[in-house]
Amino acid sequence: MAQIEIEPFQANDPVSSSYSEAGIERIAAKDITYSEFFTRFMRPNRPVILTSIAQNWECFNHWIDRSVDPSQLDVQYLKSKLPNLSVPVADCETQRYNAHEKLEVKLYDFLDSWQSPSENSKRGRYYLKDWHLRSMVPEYGFYETPHFFASDWLNEYLLERGLDDYRFVYIGAKGTWTAFHADVFGSYSWSVNIGGRKLWYFLPPSEEQKLADCWRNLPFRVTERSLQDAGVKFYAVQQQPGEAVFVPTGWYHQVLNVEDAISVNHNWFNGCNVATLWRNLRSALCDVRREIDDCRDMENFDEHCQLMLKASFGMNYADFFAIIYHIGDKRLKWLKDDGVEMKQYHYTMGRHHAVFDLVSIANLLSEVVELNHLASYREMQNTVASYLERIKQAIASV
């Protein structure tokens, strides 16, 4: 069983966040270790493409009939493996607010439109995306999470609590696309192409503001010309089959399927970007409070704000700290019971990595307590302060 481990570190070790003027690096997966990926890309929040990731995956070897075409979906094979589930589809020709219109169709109907497209077929506009196939059919092990992306607090918590997940399959015909956006919560994402090619536009953090209108709204869709006209620094990258794209926190991007394309994607966060998620969550709460400021005198105003925060952001303060405590408890147990395996995605975690996670949690909670971020939630503030002391004591004993 492979281990994810990093080199010993100091909490004040400098982190380089510079981006390559030459473009986004392509590195063969066999030529970089987990620790190198952590140090060079994940911690400094830099994108990278890792090649030859999926060669041993069941989906890479069987979902595509490469004897016919490099991106030809093997419809009969998928039907033999999967039940006729309802699947989420985006209509790439219809915009509703700031997203494509969503609908549900039966999987076999969607696959049949690929196999035998007709003049009335929606094949060229319907994009099967955000499909939770792994959780819907858990016995079907069609891929394995690459070890580079195994430090995943979000899915670690959700899967162990039997909740939702952020693991997806995308199947889109040539010309289907994903709108200009940054990933949910400010998380990382990774995307591995099973077949076909995708064109990505990447913008380093803050560059997207050059595209904002007078109401601070960002465009739904960008082109190379519109990016150039706005003086935006961006990268245009073509992703090939078998390659993994690592999308850092806060990097706005847009993706176009330049061929029929199938991919496996995850959203996740960990000790490297958890502070950014906390800032995003606080900012979203400020937006909620401004929106209903005229109701400030109502009873339980702060609790109502948390309900609205969960509805708009997808997470509230209680959810966030539940994840932090869950991860912290597991890392504390690791240090207490030295040598106990921490299994996630069939990997184990090294001791230095567990310590890094605890230091990241301690730094975050220290900021929360020192800046009194939970002034309106006294019980929550007291729990955070108490938990912080536990973490500090554990770190001091290492």
Side-chain angles (χ1 to χ4, degrees):
M1 184 175 292
Q3 182 182 77
I4 58 169
E5 179 60 302
I6 59 176
E7 297 298 321
F9 77 101
Q10 299 296 322
N12 59 353
D13 282 351
V15 179
S16 171
S17 58
S18 61
Y19 314 125
S20 170
E21 293 294 331
I24 295 174
E25 290 185 66
R26 257 190 174 83
I27 303 175
K30 65 180 179 58
D31 293 335
I32 184 170
T33 66
Y34 175 86
S35 184
E36 290 169 337
F37 170 75
F38 179 94
T39 302
R40 293 175 54 190
F41 300 103
M42 189 155 59
R43 196 167 177 220
N45 207 47
R46 296 174 56 203
V48 67
I49 298 172
L50 301 174
T51 67
S52 304
I53 283 284
Q55 273 64 14
N56 295 323
W57 290 4
E58 197 271 353
C59 58
F60 186 81
N61 291 309
H62 297 288
W63 285 15
I64 307 298
D65 188 351
R66 291 184 170 84
S67 66
V68 177
D69 184 276
S71 60
Q72 178 65 50
L73 190 66
D74 192 331
V75 169
Q76 295 309 313
Y77 182 81
L78 278 177
K79 285 185 174 182
S80 73
K81 288 291 185 179
L82 300 173
N84 193 20
L85 306 162
S86 292
V87 295
V89 170
D91 183 348
C92 292
E93 293 185 9
T94 306
Q95 181 180 345
R96 185 174 294 276
Y97 302 108
N98 63 342
H100 288 126
E101 185 172 10
K102 302 289 180 61
L103 61 154
E104 283 200 348
V105 302
K106 285 296 187 179
L107 174 62
Y108 290 1
D109 291 339
F110 178 83
L111 294 176
D112 287 342
S113 73
W114 277 61
Q115 190 172 40
S116 303
S118 65
E119 288 186 9
N120 297 322
S121 172
K122 302 294 176 61
R123 184 183 190 277
R125 60 188 287 186
Y126 279 3
Y127 192 178
L128 195 166
K129 59 192 305 187
D130 298 330
W131 180 24
H132 295 262
L133 174 57
R134 192 63 182 265
S135 59
M136 294 178 75
V137 190
E139 67 276 11
Y140 184 31
F142 57 97
Y143 75 99
E144 290 294 340
T145 298
H147 67 287
F148 303 107
F149 315 128
S151 176
D152 176 351
W153 294 7
L154 180 60
N155 289 298
E156 182 176 352
Y157 168 79
L158 293 173
L159 294 174
E160 291 173 4
R161 291 295 181 91
L163 302 172
D164 202 358
D165 66 352
Y166 284 83
R167 305 175 299 169
F168 309 109
V169 169
Y170 283 46
I171 303 177
K174 177 180 178 179
T176 52
W177 55 288
T178 298
F180 186 61
H181 71 288
D183 284 311
V184 60
F185 309 138
S187 62
Y188 297 135
S189 66
W190 61 261
S191 176
V192 174
N193 265 11
I194 304 308
R197 293 179 298 123
K198 296 179 186 288
L199 171 64
W200 295 71
Y201 292 129
F202 282 105
L203 278 64
S206 298
E207 286 293 306
E208 76 281 356
Q209 292 305 317
K210 297 176 182 178
L211 298 167
D213 64 19
C214 59
W215 295 283
R216 298 170 56 195
N217 296 317
L218 295 172
F220 185 61
R221 186 170 193 172
V222 298
T223 64
E224 196 152 337
R225 179 62 181 271
S226 68
L227 294 172
Q228 291 170 345
D229 288 347
V232 172
K233 179 180 178 62
F234 72 96
Y235 301 96
V237 176
Q238 284 221 11
Q239 181 189 16
Q240 305 295 327
E243 294 184 337
V245 170
F246 168 62
V247 183
T249 287
W251 281 65
Y252 273 75
H253 51 283
Q254 180 178 286
V255 190
L256 170 69
N257 293 324
V258 295
E259 296 176 341
D260 293 350
I262 303 95
S263 64
V264 175
N265 304 351
H266 283 202
N267 289 99
W268 94 104
F269 67 86
N270 57 33
C272 294
N273 65 340
V274 66
T276 300
L277 265 80
W278 171 240
R279 289 194 294 270
N280 292 345
L281 186 61
R282 286 174 48 226
S283 177
L285 178 61
C286 288
D287 291 341
V288 167
R289 294 174 72 92
R290 278 194 300 269
E291 190 72 23
I292 60 170
D293 188 64
D294 57 335
C295 302
R296 184 174 295 274
D297 294 332
M298 72 184 292
E299 187 177 358
N300 298 323
F301 174 76
D302 292 313
E303 286 71 19
H304 283 291
C305 288
Q306 288 296 315
L307 289 172
M308 293 184 65
L309 177 63
K310 187 177 179 89
S312 61
F313 190 77
M315 177 189 297
N316 61 19
Y317 279 16
D319 298 326
F320 178 80
F321 288 112
I323 296 172
I324 299 304
Y325 299 151
H326 181 86
I327 298 299
D329 286 348
K330 290 185 66 179
R331 305 310 185 255
L332 288 169
K333 186 177 188 304
W334 199 108
L335 295 182
K336 179 181 177 182
D337 303 328
D338 193 10
V340 174
E341 289 185 348
M342 293 185 60
K343 296 181 180 179
Q344 183 189 359
Y345 298 140
H346 305 295
Y347 304 107
T348 61
M349 176 169 281
R351 185 177 183 83
H352 297 313
H353 207 311
V355 172
F356 173 84
D357 285 359
L358 288 172
V359 171
S360 298
I361 291 172
N363 290 340
L364 170 71
L365 299 186
S366 294
E367 177 189 324
V368 172
V369 171
E370 291 168 9
L371 299 181
N372 204 23
H373 284 155
L374 299 176
S376 300
Y377 308 94
R378 185 56 55 189
E379 183 178 349
M380 192 178 293
Q381 175 86 350
N382 292 337
T383 302
V384 167
S386 175
Y387 198 81
L388 173 60
E389 290 307 309
R390 284 184 59 199
I391 298 288
K392 285 182 174 178
Q393 291 174 16
I395 294 171
S397 67
V398 174

